[in-house]
Amino acid sequence: MSTDAALTDALEHLVRGIVDSPDEAEVRRKNGRRYDTLQVRVSPEDLGRVIGRAGRTAKALRTVVAALPGGHDVRVDVVDTDRRR
């Protein structure tokens, strides 16, 4: 398994453990010029759980990903699926 896939799988595993609807949780990797982005998508009802009070949960997820091999080269974004077009 590549480092890219391992980061995506690890983050998805963590997110699925937090939310009420784990089947709707998804992590996608987007390649960018400066850095890659791991986009976290969850059901609208679970968005608050993933972000947490004052963003603490999202910050903790970013910290864990950054600590993994290859994690310092990626960014983690929580995507608001209600605003998706």
Side-chain angles (χ1 to χ4, degrees):
M1 178 181 287
S2 73
T3 304
D4 295 346
L7 284 173
T8 304
D9 290 346
L11 181 57
E12 190 166 308
H13 178 74
L14 290 170
V15 170
R16 286 177 185 247
I18 295 170
V19 298
D20 287 334
S21 304
D23 293 338
E24 294 184 39
E26 180 183 16
V27 176
R28 294 182 187 168
R29 187 177 193 105
K30 292 265 185 165
N31 297 327
R33 287 185 185 185
R34 293 189 196 177
Y35 48 81
D36 291 352
T37 303
L38 296 176
Q39 293 183 334
V40 178
R41 297 178 186 270
V42 295
S43 70
E45 295 81 25
D46 288 328
L47 193 57
R49 287 180 166 279
V50 174
I51 295 172
R53 182 170 288 159
R56 288 185 190 141
T57 305
K59 185 177 179 182
L61 290 171
R62 290 180 180 109
T63 300
V64 170
V65 168
L68 295 172
H72 61 279
D73 296 331
V74 297
R75 204 174 127 182
V76 176
D77 285 338
V78 179
V79 179
D80 186 356
T81 54
D82 284 344
R83 294 186 177 189
R84 185 175 39 171
R85 293 178 185 176

